[in-house]
Amino acid sequence: MMSSQFLTTWFLPGIWVTVQVTVYAAALAAAVSFGIGLARGSRYRIVRFLAGTYFEVFRGMSALVLMFWMFFALPLFGWQLVPLWAGVSALGLTYGAYGSEIVRGSLAAVAPAQKEAGIALNFTRGQRLRLIELPQAWPAMVPPFNNLLIELLKGTALVSVITVADMTFAGNLLRLGTNETAPVYTLLLVLYFVLAFLLTRGMRLLERRAKAGIGQLPEKSAGGTGRAGVRDEGLRAGARSAGGAR
């Protein structure tokens, strides 16, 4: 059975390490997602080419193999990463490639009328992105980002193979010490589910706020407005944002 000493020495710190890896990797993935996603829509061909190359390369890589490479092979080039940051870097760079497609697709789905309104108001490209396109695209990004974040949380279990003492690592130690395989892995499954559930609730709250920010009504309260009403309300919100920026 799990002793109180093991709980305080390994398991609870392991949960905290899992949370840390998730937060740090998610922050890196978000930066990569928006950086590469925006670059893939650049008007400069070389920027689109480089961003597209990054997307294709890292989308096709195994996060585990990349983690091994950063931890075992990178020191051969004179750069040693501690296990935690090797895991965070591999996860953030890999999942950031997936996220860049979410950003690119959501921005491409913004109504052309919104973009044309920004051009008519003589906005720069940066102003159009900040005031019109990103606010309109953000609500569409949140649900797929939620799924990606859950996948990232589950992917943090990979860091245990490079000796990062997350909760999977602690669970394996407990299994080796007690030979209680089923209870230990059942507990791990429950813990990952609880963390994923909490992340989902937070992302749904963020989605509701994002939709409210552009004037979209909650689905259960939309009534007879339908999709057209929601879209028109969003267009009016974008116009108000654009007009207020002048």
Side-chain angles (χ1 to χ4, degrees):
M1 296 297 292
M2 185 185 302
S3 66
S4 59
Q5 182 180 3
F6 185 90
L7 181 68
T8 56
T9 303
W10 287 101
F11 218 85
L12 291 179
I15 295 174
W16 174 237
V17 169
T18 294
V19 172
Q20 284 183 297
V21 173
T22 302
V23 171
Y24 296 152
L28 176 58
V32 172
S33 296
F34 280 92
I36 299 299
L38 292 174
R40 291 180 66 196
S42 173
R43 61 181 176 177
Y44 300 107
R45 180 176 299 178
I46 183 63
V47 175
R48 294 197 306 271
F49 172 77
L50 293 175
T53 300
Y54 177 94
F55 169 71
E56 294 294 343
V57 169
F58 279 87
R59 184 181 63 166
M61 282 186 179
S62 164
L64 179 60
V65 175
L66 179 60
M67 200 176 297
F68 282 150
W69 188 88
M70 287 188 163
F71 186 60
F72 295 111
L74 201 56
L76 300 176
F77 300 93
W79 195 1
Q80 177 71 58
L81 291 176
V82 297
L84 176 67
W85 292 112
V88 166
S89 299
L91 292 171
L93 293 173
T94 302
Y95 284 88
Y98 302 146
S100 68
E101 182 67 7
I102 296 173
V103 174
R104 185 203 64 79
S106 298
L107 287 173
V110 173
Q114 295 281 8
K115 303 174 184 179
E116 293 167 3
I119 295 174
L121 292 169
N122 201 28
F123 283 179
T124 64
R125 174 58 177 161
Q127 287 176 316
R128 295 199 303 272
L129 277 173
R130 181 171 57 88
L131 299 173
I132 299 176
E133 295 179 32
L134 281 175
Q136 296 293 312
W138 174 239
M141 296 181 194
V142 177
F145 269 138
N146 181 28
N147 290 334
L148 196 61
L149 184 58
I150 299 304
E151 290 296 323
L152 173 58
L153 168 66
K154 295 184 290 186
T156 60
L158 297 175
V159 301
S160 64
V161 301
I162 55 171
T163 70
V164 177
D166 70 328
M167 62 185 187
T168 299
F169 186 88
N172 284 329
L173 287 181
L174 179 60
R175 182 187 66 84
L176 292 173
T178 63
N179 284 327
E180 295 182 353
T181 301
V184 169
Y185 288 130
T186 300
L187 176 60
L188 285 176
L189 288 174
V190 171
L191 287 173
Y192 277 109
F193 168 76
V194 170
L195 291 176
F197 180 78
L198 293 175
L199 285 176
T200 298
R201 300 307 299 177
M203 292 296 284
R204 285 180 180 174
L205 177 60
L206 182 62
E207 182 184 2
R208 287 196 295 270
R209 291 187 175 181
K211 288 182 177 180
I214 60 171
Q216 288 189 6
L217 297 174
E219 292 183 4
K220 63 180 181 180
S221 303
T225 57
R227 293 186 177 180
V230 170
R231 182 174 63 251
D232 292 342
E233 187 63 25
L235 294 176
R236 288 194 293 270
R240 287 196 297 268
S241 298
R246 294 212 59 176

